[in-house]
Amino acid sequence: MKRALVILTYNEIEALPKVFDRIPRGSGHEVFAVDGGSADGTRQFLEARKVRVFVQERRGRGEAFRLAMASTDADLVVFFSPDGNEDPADIPKLFELLEAGADMAVASRMMEGAFNEEDVSWWRPRKWVNLAFGLAANLAFNRGPFVTDTINGFRGVRRAAFSRIAPDAVGFVIEYQMTMRAMRAGLDIVELPTREGPRLGGQSTASSIPTGLVFLKTLWRELASGAATRKLG
């Protein structure tokens, strides 16, 4: 099966040089980047190292996922963000899970043996919210093993699975939507424990309250869609 490693970037020039040499680029038959319109030299850094860069016409992480899938014919695709949070050593492991039969492979920051960057403190608001959204998704849609990290973007997916669930979210909620739709479709979601590192540069563009509201709206939309599907059935 053909593998594609997708590097997702947007103004990552602070972190990228610290991470790039640790990315196991040989784990994919092809490696390319999808960039959200960086203006800090990120694209030039990658192109100087012979990494092809596809530039989004529209901003948004969801748009990046769809552009990535449209830019390759690979059967197995892994998405990686080089901001320091994600461990490059887990990239081959995600490919291995997909090759072993998983429809979706997720690097979990929540399961036993994993580490979330907030685990160094007793106050873990981002982790608790993540767990709450995860519990809601599992209770509403899951028919298989409990998925501990429904939101993390460090994941891989089979092309056939991506086409089947047809995620249409625009921003950071794309991964949550993918997980919920995969659960509802009865797809095989497999997790591996990962260690979330500190951000090495730049700032997250996902503001807590607005992003949380988008997640709630998306959860409600998927619940309503599932209810409508059951009614029609």
Side-chain angles (χ1 to χ4, degrees):
M1 290 188 175
K2 184 176 179 181
R3 300 176 170 190
L5 172 59
V6 181
I7 304 173
L8 302 173
T9 59
Y10 177 64
N11 289 336
E12 303 290 357
I13 199 59
E14 286 185 66
L16 187 55
K18 304 170 188 175
V19 175
F20 186 79
D21 288 340
R22 295 168 48 215
I23 300 174
R25 299 186 295 284
S27 62
H29 295 101
E30 62 176 330
V31 181
F32 62 90
V34 173
D35 186 77
S38 295
D40 65 346
T42 294
R43 288 170 51 194
Q44 292 79 0
F45 177 93
L46 291 167
E47 290 169 346
R49 287 153 182 81
K50 310 301 181 184
V51 176
R52 188 177 184 185
V53 180
F54 294 93
V55 180
Q56 297 174 229
E57 292 184 3
R58 296 176 58 195
R59 287 278 304 280
R61 192 169 173 90
E63 292 294 325
F65 270 60
R66 286 185 289 275
L67 175 57
M69 298 302 293
S71 301
T72 180
D73 62 355
D75 306 288
L76 313 175
V77 182
V78 167
F79 300 91
F80 174 76
S81 298
D83 57 8
N85 285 154
E86 300 174 0
D87 185 354
D90 287 331
I91 292 171
K93 300 175 187 177
L94 291 171
F95 276 124
E96 289 169 7
L97 291 176
L98 293 173
E99 289 212 325
D103 294 301
M104 188 177 295
V106 181
S108 172
R109 303 157 296 175
M110 308 297 171
M111 67 190 301
E112 184 176 354
F115 178 83
N116 182 286
E117 65 174 343
E118 289 187 333
D119 285 341
V120 297
S121 171
W122 69 268
W123 178 247
R124 306 171 188 177
R126 187 170 65 90
K127 180 175 182 176
W128 294 333
V129 170
N130 189 316
L131 290 171
F133 277 115
L135 179 61
N138 277 278
L139 291 175
F141 305 111
N142 200 4
R143 291 174 282 168
F146 191 91
V147 178
T148 63
D149 197 341
T150 58
I151 291 173
N152 198 12
F154 189 18
R155 62 178 58 202
V157 65
R158 285 177 175 262
R159 168 174 295 281
F162 190 89
S163 297
R164 181 174 175 183
I165 61 179
D168 56 2
V170 176
F172 285 95
V173 76
I174 180 73
E175 295 95 349
Y176 189 44
Q177 184 188 57
M178 286 174 63
T179 306
M180 289 188 287
R181 291 190 175 185
M183 287 175 172
R184 197 168 71 195
L187 301 184
D188 186 20
I189 305 172
V190 182
E191 297 181 286
L192 63 87
T194 193
R195 185 175 182 85
E196 185 178 41
R199 179 176 284 271
L200 296 176
Q203 295 182 346
S204 173
T205 56
S207 301
S208 298
I209 294 177
T211 300
L213 292 174
V214 172
F215 271 73
L216 283 172
K217 182 178 179 180
T218 302
L219 173 60
W220 175 253
R221 177 186 173 197
E222 296 302 317
L223 286 168
S225 176
T229 300
R230 288 191 296 272
K231 185 175 181 180
L232 290 173

